[in-house]
Amino acid sequence: HVQLVESGGGSVQAGGSLRLSCAVSVSSANDYCLGWFRQAPGKEREGVAAISGPGLITHEDSVKGRFTISKDNANNTLYLQMNSLKPDDTATYYCAAGPSRLPVPSMTSPRWYNYWGRGTQVTVS
């Protein structure tokens, strides 16, 4: 059973930065595609960025150049560095685990992910 626990959320002013972390309880993070998703009140959950088991990385256009996903395989931890934050980035952020070799076009689609954390709130004002 895969467990994911997010941390690092908070409140920040526009233009600021936050780094989210996700501890993934698996034998190897390379066995899964790991992604960050977000959901704002009244909106559907949307993909932000993902990194596949073999190491392919994708970021949604809305965060390209501002957010960076990475993972520490030794510690099975997923990160999301968020810079130049905007009020539109306000949401609950979730990390999730899915099949290791998802094709790139599917990597930020929530439907392919089997395991989810409980989320961490990010508020940008």
Side-chain angles (χ1 to χ4, degrees):
H1 182 66
V2 179
Q3 291 186 316
L4 305 103
V5 180
E6 304 94 338
S7 61
S11 296
V12 64
Q13 291 188 336
S17 299
L18 284 173
R19 188 175 83 154
L20 305 183
S21 300
C22 176
V24 187
S25 64
V26 293
S27 58
S28 172
N30 289 336
D31 291 340
Y32 295 89
C33 183
L34 300 175
W36 286 102
F37 298 81
R38 66 186 182 186
Q39 189 167 18
K43 294 187 176 181
E44 292 188 355
R45 190 168 298 188
E46 63 178 7
V48 175
I51 181 166
S52 71
L56 294 177
I57 291 175
T58 187
H59 296 82
E60 286 296 301
D61 287 346
S62 58
V63 305
K64 277 182 181 175
R66 300 188 299 123
F67 293 9
T68 303
I69 191 172
S70 63
K71 67 177 177 178
D72 180 343
N73 290 324
N75 294 307
N76 287 341
T77 303
L78 182 71
Y79 298 102
L80 185 69
Q81 178 66 44
M82 305 188 295
N83 299 327
S84 302
L85 282 160
K86 305 175 182 179
D88 284 350
D89 296 318
T90 295
T92 301
Y93 283 72
Y94 301 88
C95 63
S100 175
R101 294 179 180 269
L102 281 175
V104 171
S106 299
M107 285 169 59
T108 51
S109 177
R111 65 177 294 188
W112 300 112
Y113 286 76
N114 312 99
Y115 305 100
W116 293 84
R118 293 189 174 185
T120 185
Q121 178 67 35
V122 172
T123 303
V124 185
S125 60

